[in-house]
Amino acid sequence: MIKRKMTRVIKLGNILIGGENPITIQSMTNTDTRDTKATIGQIKSLEKAGCEIIRIAIPDMEAAHSISTIQKEIKIPLIADIHFDYKLAIESVNQGIDGLRLNPGNIGSYSNVLKVVDVVRDKKIPIRIGVNSGSISKEKLKKYGHTAIALVESALEHVQILEKANYQELKISVKASDVPMMIEAYRILSEKVEYPLHLGVTEAGTEFSGSIISAVGIGTLLSEGIGDTIRVSLTESPEKELVVAKEILKALDLRKGLKLISCPTCGRTEINLIKIAKEVEIRVQEFAEKNITIAVMGCIVNGPGEAREADYGIAGGKNEGLIFKKGKIIKKVPENELISTLIKMIKQDLDDKN
């Protein structure tokens, strides 16, 4: 059981972040925010895929003016990504945004910061401060070099500006593309602040390598109880990010849902295990929201025993296989009937429970 660090609780739209609240999955649209039809369509697709927080780019006033239209059509909290122009932050709030991604040290004078704080204070709209390894301040780079502590100290500079303005509805991220640096930075930051933390590996890469890199970085920190929201950043469609994020959380028992386990092939395997496992993975997606574990095992020698904790499973033999539940063998069926029998049994059991 992972013991999470108890951070401050903030409210983003209709969800609570921090403390004992569930770790939430975030993504970002890749549409032109000014194209409201395309942006709304993508957000709805992401909602269906399991996204719980969505961020949109606000490069100009036209994009900011699109927020109210977008908000009317979506269900999940909406965050405006702001860089350099405090007026865009103010207009985003006026348009009904749920949260801001903004570094107060990058929007001009302290008076500009106060103008933003004035409009967010009454609604307690949270601000995420996000520094990555490419945006470390020159002063911190000179003092510490390109290190985790430089990344953390750069983020804390921005935090201190908002604290000076007596505003603490904050979330912080210190992402890096270098996984050891990212992990070290979040560990340091977690010891220094009580604000909720948003985890991610920036510029993680393409679907395959980026998924592995993100799982290592984000998963390591989550296993230590660090982190309140996560984003897997891939050079892919945002929907693919969500799949990986959910699997990371499920692997650490931080989220319920379908788990599929399968053994590697070995010399005892006498069925086409790779083909069967891939087909099962596709077929069981209809049970994605169910809190069940399904096992695909290569042989009947120790398959049911090794996977006795699985709710349902297949164990292969020569041109046939076993169907089992919680390690108990239910029946033996021909190889070509294994998957259909498994799916039928799961459906029947779920129907009986409803």
Side-chain angles (χ1 to χ4, degrees):
M1 185 74 175
I2 293 171
K3 184 178 180 182
R4 291 182 53 200
K5 177 181 176 180
M6 288 298 101
T7 51
R8 288 171 55 93
V9 177
I10 60 175
K11 189 173 184 182
L12 177 66
N14 59 357
I15 65 173
L16 295 175
I17 294 170
E20 296 180 342
N21 294 292
I23 295 164
T24 48
I25 298 172
Q26 182 173 319
S27 189
M28 185 174 184
T29 59
N30 57 18
T31 57
D32 184 336
T33 305
R34 295 163 293 197
D35 184 346
T36 55
K37 184 177 180 181
T39 302
I40 290 167
Q42 187 173 68
I43 294 173
K44 285 186 173 181
S45 173
L46 292 170
E47 287 177 336
K48 194 175 293 185
C51 186
E52 294 158 331
I53 301 170
I54 190 67
R55 180 160 51 110
I56 55 174
I58 304 296
D60 55 29
M61 277 297 173
E62 185 182 352
H65 292 153
S66 300
I67 290 171
S68 59
T69 301
I70 295 167
Q71 278 284 42
K72 291 173 186 175
E73 302 294 328
I74 68 172
K75 298 175 183 176
I76 58 177
L78 188 66
I79 296 175
D81 192 81
I82 307 293
H83 293 277
F84 309 120
D85 190 344
Y86 77 97
K87 293 178 182 178
L88 294 177
I90 292 172
E91 186 58 31
S92 295
V93 174
N94 292 336
Q95 291 286 325
I97 204 71
D98 296 306
L100 297 174
R101 156 64 171 90
L102 176 150
N103 287 345
N106 295 340
I107 59 171
S109 66
Y110 182 62
S111 64
N112 290 346
V113 175
L114 292 177
K115 290 172 185 175
V116 173
V117 170
D118 282 344
V119 297
V120 299
R121 193 184 299 279
D122 288 344
K123 297 179 181 177
K124 291 188 174 181
I125 292 173
I127 296 173
R128 172 161 73 92
I129 289 168
V131 176
N132 62 45
S133 53
S135 60
I136 300 172
S137 72
K138 292 179 181 179
E139 292 78 11
K140 300 304 178 187
L141 273 175
K142 186 176 180 180
K143 183 176 181 180
Y144 299 108
H146 194 261
T147 60
I149 189 63
L151 188 56
V152 171
E153 290 297 324
S154 287
L156 292 178
E157 282 185 330
H158 296 291
V159 170
Q160 288 156 8
I161 293 171
L162 288 176
E163 287 180 335
K164 182 181 176 182
N166 194 29
Y167 200 68
Q168 295 181 312
E169 301 301 310
L170 309 180
K171 182 169 63 167
I172 312 172
S173 65
V174 282
K175 300 181 181 181
S177 54
D178 178 81
V179 173
M181 180 178 176
M182 170 262 193
I183 292 171
E184 184 183 358
Y186 276 106
R187 285 172 175 164
I188 295 169
L189 183 62
S190 181
E191 292 295 319
K192 288 179 174 286
V193 301
E194 294 185 348
Y195 297 113
L197 303 183
H198 171 68
L199 304 185
V201 179
T202 191
E203 298 135 11
T206 55
E207 183 178 3
F208 177 73
S209 61
S211 297
I212 295 170
I213 289 167
S214 296
V216 172
I218 295 171
T220 297
L221 291 163
L222 290 176
S223 72
E224 297 173 6
I226 297 170
D228 302 281
T229 66
I230 67 173
R231 182 194 174 188
V232 173
S233 299
L234 300 178
T235 311
E236 252 296 351
S237 69
E239 288 84 356
K240 295 285 182 70
E241 297 182 353
L242 303 173
V243 173
V244 179
K246 285 193 282 188
E247 288 302 317
I248 292 171
L249 292 176
K250 287 193 290 183
L252 292 166
D253 286 332
L254 290 168
R255 176 157 305 209
K256 293 182 178 180
L258 174 70
K259 287 185 183 178
L260 177 66
I261 62 175
S262 59
C263 69
T265 58
C266 74
R268 290 195 302 267
T269 305
E270 296 184 279
I271 60 169
N272 193 339
L273 182 65
I274 295 173
K275 180 176 180 290
I276 289 174
K278 287 181 177 179
E279 187 176 341
V280 170
E281 186 175 40
I282 295 169
R283 294 282 300 277
V284 299
Q285 287 311 305
E286 61 182 291
F287 313 123
E289 302 305 316
K290 304 298 182 181
N291 189 32
I292 57 176
T293 299
I294 300 171
V296 180
M297 308 300 287
C299 72
I300 59 176
V301 173
N302 53 11
E306 286 186 4
R308 67 171 57 88
E309 298 304 317
D311 297 286
Y312 304 93
I314 291 171
K318 188 173 184 179
N319 301 318
E320 63 183 9
L322 303 176
I323 303 290
F324 60 91
K325 292 169 63 173
K326 290 288 187 182
K328 181 181 178 182
I329 297 170
I330 304 299
K331 62 173 69 174
K332 182 185 291 187
V333 298
E335 180 178 340
N336 62 359
E337 296 178 16
L338 274 170
I339 297 173
S340 59
T341 305
L342 175 72
I343 299 299
K344 183 178 179 180
M345 182 172 65
I346 296 171
K347 282 183 176 179
Q348 185 63 57
D349 284 359
L350 292 175
D351 287 343
D352 290 344
K353 291 179 181 178
N354 293 335

